[in-house]
Amino acid sequence: METNSLIPLDEALYRLLYHRSYREAFFNENFSSLGLCESDQRHLATIDREQLKKTASRVVTQVLYGADGQSGGIEGIFPRVLRKYRKTFPKDPNSIELIERFLESNYYRDYREHPYAGNGICIEEAFFEFMNTEKPFIDADATNAFLLKDEFLVALMRTLLYNPRASFQVRQADIFRIGEGYYSIQTMWPDMILYAAVKGHFVRGPITPLIAEILRLADGAKIQARTLSVRFNTSIETVQAAFDRLTHLGFLH
């Protein structure tokens, strides 16, 4: 690990807790690589190393398994992804190394647990974006990318279901605000899968191209009913029934 410019002491303390490579440099007394002035190096040298190890280990456990160390966390959000990861990489049987890489990433740094901590993304999106950079995992099986996206969208929509005015940002370009909620459509040939959190309901399931187009057009679809019936070779009554159903669910006004 190389640090070419000086960093403030609070940043060094953050890295000691969340960055394994920085912590190892500290344990190895490689102080010149820590990016600190001599005064801050002396302050850091007084830290209890055993206590630091325990605290850093507890951070990993809480991120992986939740605050109580037994439920929730990344394990609860992405259970199938982690099972697949462990099967693919048996040398990391508890996903500890994976979580340590996540903690050291900018994706985790963009995560905000509390709204008063400033603008940021939720833990679900942070881990999703990070895992997409784990190319050995993504490339190991053609279904891994879809599995990751599926668990992410399910978790995110459930979070948005209970937090419709969420304080965090949603960065994915294929997640849309509509009516009284959010939705995303994913294609896994030959199916189109709808994920949604709308009007107190979580929705996940296959939809038709007609429904997908109505959602894309949103409320503007109602003035194009005849065009839609011709385009999808169906009756006006079928299109109107789709409008009524989507309006009832809260997708349209």
Side-chain angles (χ1 to χ4, degrees), residues 24 26 35 60 70 80-81 105 118 134 142 207 210 234-235 253:
E24 288 176 347
F26 170 74
V60 172
Q70 297 178 358
R80 291 179 295 150
V81 168
S105 73
E134 289 281 300
I207 58 172
L210 171 62
T234 190
S235 65
H253 292 111

Side-chain angles (χ1 to χ4, degrees), residues 4 33 36 63 90 179 201 210 226 237:
N4 297 320
S33 70
L36 295 171
V63 171
H201 298 285
L210 171 62
R226 187 169 298 280
E237 290 75 17

Side-chain angles (χ1 to χ4, degrees), residues 85-99:
Y85 170 83
R86 290 164 185 159
K87 183 178 179 180
T88 306
F89 303 102
K91 291 184 178 181
D92 188 14
N94 298 313
S95 307
I96 298 300
E97 292 181 9
L98 177 71
I99 296 302

Side-chain angles (χ1 to χ4, degrees), residues 13-250:
L13 294 173
Y14 174 90
R15 294 185 188 185
L16 281 176
L17 281 178
Y18 294 99
H19 292 193
R20 182 179 64 181
S21 62
Y22 195 85
R23 199 161 51 247
E24 288 176 347
F26 170 74
F27 290 146
N28 292 330
E29 299 187 353
N30 188 8
F31 294 116
S32 62
S33 70
L34 299 182
L36 295 171
C37 65
E38 291 186 6
S39 174
D40 287 343
Q41 287 181 31
R42 288 194 296 271
H43 286 303
L44 227 61
T46 66
I47 290 176
D48 186 317
R49 285 160 170 73
E50 287 304 313
Q51 189 60 45
L52 174 59
K53 287 180 182 178
K54 291 178 182 178
T55 303
S57 178
R58 189 158 55 245
V59 168
V60 172
T61 299
Q62 289 180 348
V63 171
L64 182 55
Y65 296 113
D68 61 2
Q70 297 178 358
S71 61
I74 298 301
E75 181 74 46
I77 299 169
F78 295 90
R80 291 179 295 150
V81 168
L82 290 189
R83 283 198 299 270
K84 191 71 174 291
Y85 170 83
R86 290 164 185 159
K87 183 178 179 180
T88 306
F89 303 102
K91 291 184 178 181
D92 188 14
N94 298 313
S95 307
I96 298 300
E97 292 181 9
L98 177 71
I99 296 302
E100 287 178 333
R101 292 196 298 275
F102 173 47
L103 291 175
E104 199 158 344
S105 73
N106 287 330
Y107 304 106
Y108 182 78
R109 188 144 202 161
D110 289 343
Y111 156 58
R112 298 291 183 273
E113 184 175 5
H114 303 289
Y116 53 75
N119 292 329
I121 59 177
C122 62
I123 192 72
E124 294 88 347
E125 189 162 20
F127 188 73
F128 167 73
E129 291 187 353
F130 163 74
M131 283 302 293
N132 269 308
T133 68
E134 289 281 300
K135 293 304 181 183
F137 172 74
I138 295 297
D139 296 341
D141 189 309
T143 65
N144 283 354
F146 177 79
L147 174 64
L148 176 63
K149 192 65 175 274
D150 179 68
E151 286 204 310
F152 162 62
L153 287 172
V154 168
L156 179 66
M157 292 303 170
R158 291 191 184 280
T159 297
L160 291 171
L161 187 65
Y162 298 107
N163 300 278
R165 294 183 176 86
S167 58
F168 54 81
Q169 302 170 355
V170 177
R171 296 201 295 209
Q172 303 308 301
D174 57 358
I175 296 174
F176 305 97
R177 189 73 190 263
I178 187 173
E180 298 180 45
Y182 299 81
Y183 83 94
S184 181
I185 297 173
Q186 301 298 312
T187 300
M188 187 172 184
W189 186 259
D191 295 323
M192 303 176 75
I193 309 297
L194 171 66
Y195 301 80
V198 60
K199 205 176 180 180
H201 298 285
F202 167 72
V203 179
R204 180 190 182 279
I207 58 172
T208 65
L210 171 62
I211 296 296
E213 183 63 8
I214 291 174
L215 289 172
R216 188 185 70 82
L217 294 171
D219 291 311
K222 293 186 176 182
I223 64 174
Q224 299 187 42
R226 187 169 298 280
T227 300
L228 289 170
S229 70
V230 172
R231 178 178 172 184
F232 292 97
N233 192 29
T234 190
S235 65
I236 288 287
E237 290 75 17
T238 299
V239 175
Q240 187 58 55
F243 288 158
D244 293 344
R245 180 60 176 162
L246 291 172
T247 300
H248 174 74
L249 288 172

